Amino acid sequence: MADPQQMPSALQVARAMTQVLRTKLAVYGAEEITLTREEAALCLGLAEGISEHLELEEGGAR
């Protein structure tokens, strides 16, 4: 039986998106960059995950 594919960890996704964004932003002459829908969804997911984590930390600090 084949091993089920595991979802990448948040850290793996963050590292991958960091590389994607770094590469796109390295074109200093470009005034705009374009993200694919998948890239934008991953960025949004990371931002939401970080927000939720920070909100939980803030709530626990009270």
Side-chain angles (χ1 to χ4, degrees):
M1 178 180 267
D3 292 334
Q5 275 191 326
Q6 290 187 342
M7 294 293 291
S9 70
L11 180 57
Q12 290 170 320
V13 173
R15 285 181 175 154
M17 286 311 305
T18 297
Q19 188 59 37
V20 167
L21 292 173
R22 182 175 284 125
T23 300
K24 289 182 183 245
L25 291 170
V27 181
Y28 295 108
E31 290 190 26
E32 295 181 0
I33 63 167
T34 303
L35 298 178
T36 65
R37 185 170 185 82
E38 182 179 357
E39 290 166 342
L42 288 171
C43 286
L44 177 59
L46 286 172
E48 288 176 337
I50 292 167
S51 296
E52 289 173 12
H53 179 75
L54 293 173
E55 286 173 358
L56 288 173
E57 276 188 358
E58 187 176 287
R62 291 181 188 171

